[in-house]
Amino acid sequence: MTEPLTKDDYKPGDVTVHHDPERLHRVVKALRAAGRNVALVPTMGALHEGHRKLIREAHVMQNTVVVVSIFVNPTQFGPDEDYERYPRTLESDVDICREERVGLVFAPSAGDVYLPGSSVTVHPGPLGDELEGASRPGHFTGVLTVVAKLFNIVQPTYAVFGEKDYQQLTLVHRMARDLNMPTHVVGVPTVREADGLALSSRNRYLSEEQRQAATALSAALVAGAHVSGRGADAVLEAARDTLDAVPGVDLDYLELRAPDLGPAPENGDARLLVAARVGSTRLIDNIAVLLGTGDE
Ligand code: PAF
């Protein structure tokens, strides 16, 4: 028999941590039945200011219970990537969630998310093999599969993602549209340090010297955006020159694309995206640019 829900499953004014997907699902179902909206902020934990901004965005809709999922998803890491050493800081993450008036934290185990014999996944289509996907085969299958699971467990009206992972945001949008998911996907602009570095849980891997070199990514994007009126070649040249000038930054890709990550237009809205390795840490960043319409 299913255990009845109790007042400990959801405490208005405090955060409740759930590990069991089934139980969390029942709690959000009960909240929806009581007329509440549910907004989901999917994370892998190690929360920082960027996540706080996502949570604040999730609160924008009135009468909303915000659910933050904290799950380091094994299926989106390649065999040589940082799954084992990815920071796991549940206690301080829950403190941040409490400060940000999150109602529920969902922190499942890998075994509860991926039942033995799980074999069905969400395929991202061709975009999943480009940009990040070219360097991280299978990454977006892992991301979309876990996000689809989270959407099914939490059934949120809204789900909030950062623009820092722009390709992820684009693919999650596309998944929700192509698979008729009833969740509205919201993108939130990247939060940056004062010197431009995009906030990321992986920044904590950087030494002081590497941290300094890492600012080359955002500096390159800004340099590119600055000459966007002169067109795509000028943007890419300015960005590449900026990256080349900084030792210790090993460029993976620098690309201009359309906002939906199709081919870049000659004029109009585009996205400039960069990925580079600084030491053993892979960093990504991106910026919106308006091509060819300036007076330069
Ligand atoms: O952006 C992340 O933190 C992860 O890729 C996500 C969306 C939580 C899926 O594991």
Side-chain angles (χ1 to χ4, degrees), residues 23 68 97-98 104 108 112 119 131 135 151 160 221 232 246 296:
R23 196 154 186 101
V68 171
C97 288
R98 183 172 293 111
L104 297 162
D112 278 336
S119 62
L131 299 164
S135 300
F151 282 10
V160 185
L221 297 177
V246 181
E296 287 191 68

Side-chain angles (χ1 to χ4, degrees), residues 1-16:
M1 212 185 80
T2 340
E3 257 182 73
L5 296 177
T6 71
K7 59 180 178 20
D8 290 335
D9 282 300
Y10 175 69
K11 302 181 226 84
D14 195 8
V15 62
T16 308

Side-chain angles (χ1 to χ4, degrees), residues 183-250:
T183 297
H184 182 69
V185 176
V186 178
V188 174
T190 304
V191 179
R192 299 178 180 281
E193 304 277 9
D195 61 7
L197 181 69
L199 294 196
S200 162
S201 303
R202 288 190 168 100
N203 290 352
R204 64 183 74 192
Y205 298 153
L206 301 169
S207 69
E208 218 165 288
E209 203 180 325
Q210 291 167 341
R211 163 74 187 70
Q212 193 49 45
T215 58
L217 275 77
S218 55
L221 297 177
V222 171
H226 197 65
V227 295
S228 64
R230 287 176 13 214
D233 289 347
V235 169
L236 290 169
E237 193 185 322
R240 188 175 286 273
D241 286 351
T242 308
L243 287 161
D244 285 350
V246 181
V249 178
D250 182 12

Side-chain angles (χ1 to χ4, degrees), residues 42-44 73 76 146 161 168:
T43 81
M44 297 205 299
N73 172 36
Q76 69 188 74
V146 82
F161 295 81
Q168 166 174 286

Side-chain angles (χ1 to χ4, degrees), residues 44 71-79 81 83 88 110 113-115 118 120-122 136-147 149:
M44 297 205 299
F71 178 59
V72 185
N73 172 36
T75 66
Q76 69 188 74
F77 289 80
E81 293 184 357
Y83 174 67
R88 286 158 173 87
V113 172
Y114 295 101
L115 299 178
S118 285
V120 176
T121 55
V122 180
R136 308 184 67 190
H139 171 68
F140 288 114
T141 299
V143 169
L144 293 190
T145 301
V146 82
V147 171
K149 281 169 169 285

Side-chain angles (χ1 to χ4, degrees), residues 7-110:
K7 59 180 178 20
D8 290 335
D9 282 300
Y10 175 69
K11 302 181 226 84
D14 195 8
V15 62
T16 308
V17 182
H18 283 271
H19 301 286
D20 175 20
E22 225 291 292
R23 196 154 186 101
L24 187 274
H25 179 73
R26 288 172 55 218
V27 175
V28 283
K29 204 167 147 194
L31 286 166
R32 261 196 316 276
R36 305 294 302 272
N37 292 308
V38 176
L40 173 66
V41 181
T43 81
M44 297 205 299
L47 302 185
H48 50 64
E49 246 351 274
H51 295 109
R52 284 189 195 261
K53 187 162 171 197
L54 302 184
I55 295 169
R56 286 172 196 166
E57 184 64 36
H59 275 298
V60 159
M61 201 176 32
Q62 275 197 342
N63 194 26
T64 295
V65 177
V66 175
V67 181
V68 171
S69 62
I70 296 178
F71 178 59
V72 185
N73 172 36
T75 66
Q76 69 188 74
F77 289 80
D80 299 326
E81 293 184 357
D82 55 343
Y83 174 67
E84 293 302 338
R85 78 164 175 143
Y86 198 87
R88 286 158 173 87
T89 56
L90 184 59
E91 220 174 294
S92 54
D93 290 346
V94 172
D95 289 342
I96 289 177
C97 288
R98 183 172 293 111
E99 283 166 21
E100 296 297 332
R101 297 178 297 109
V102 168
L104 297 162
V105 165
F106 176 43
S109 69

